[in-house]
Amino acid sequence: MIRSVAALLTAALLSVAAAHATVRTESGLSESKVGVTETYRVNVPTEKEISTTQIRLVVPAGLSITRFQVTPGFTRTVTRNADGLVTEVIWKGRVALMEYARFFFQARNPAAAGDLTWKIYQTYSDGSVAAWDGQDPEKGPASVVTVK
Ligand SMILES: [Cu+2]
């Protein structure tokens, strides 16, 4: 009995730990093809007792975002480089306790094979920021999509 409760608790903790902010393809994959237009999905679960208020995405070099899906309840601001490519996206809105938000966009993959590393900075209502950028690979891994 005690053991099964412990196992359930462990499973619950593991599932929370696995629910990091991530970037994957629309179908949830971590790989895509060279040069194609892919739909990407940013998944952001709130993992504290307070709300997420902002999500900042740093777009990997060589990727060209062409179109965003409308996300009701959120505003979006983009930063572009001198070539007009989107380098950063900020979504503002609210993702409450026990909720997750998803943001979709289309992008043309680089012409050369390699890893696309995405960095996400998740701001909470108390101003704290969860960094999913690989600086601390255990606590805050960056998402990597391999383009083949
Ligand atoms: Cu997590």
Side-chain angles (χ1 to χ4, degrees):
M1 178 62 179
I2 286 171
R3 182 179 293 178
S4 63
V5 169
L8 279 174
L9 279 175
T10 304
L13 286 173
L14 283 175
S15 68
V16 166
H20 300 320
T22 55
V23 181
R24 301 273 186 268
T25 68
E26 185 174 29
S27 50
L29 302 178
S30 292
E31 62 176 65
S32 187
K33 293 193 176 109
V34 163
V36 303
T37 295
E38 178 68 270
T39 302
Y40 288 97
R41 175 185 89 191
V42 185
N43 190 72
V44 183
T46 282
E47 299 184 290
K48 297 186 180 183
E49 301 289 314
I50 53 177
S51 297
T52 297
T53 55
Q54 176 179 292
I55 297 102
R56 180 164 71 94
L57 174 71
V58 179
V59 179
L63 190 98
S64 174
I65 295 182
T66 51
R67 202 176 288 275
F68 290 92
Q69 183 173 311
V70 172
T71 312
F74 285 83
T75 62
R76 182 186 61 248
T77 309
V78 301
T79 304
R80 295 175 187 272
N81 65 14
D83 299 324
L85 295 175
V86 174
T87 55
E88 203 173 286
V89 186
I90 293 174
W91 288 276
K92 287 185 179 177
R94 189 160 292 270
V95 191
L97 177 66
M98 287 190 70
E99 292 181 340
Y100 60 89
R102 285 184 166 184
F103 307 93
F104 295 85
F105 56 85
Q106 294 176 345
R108 197 164 53 254
N109 283 340
D115 284 346
L116 299 174
T117 301
W118 307 82
K119 297 178 180 180
I120 301 170
Y121 298 91
Q122 178 179 9
T123 304
Y124 283 90
S125 58
D126 65 354
S128 61
V129 178
W132 309 100
D133 60 0
Q135 282 284 95
D136 182 343
E138 295 255 308
K139 274 180 65 189
S143 291
V144 177
V145 174
T146 303
V147 171
K148 299 179 179 178

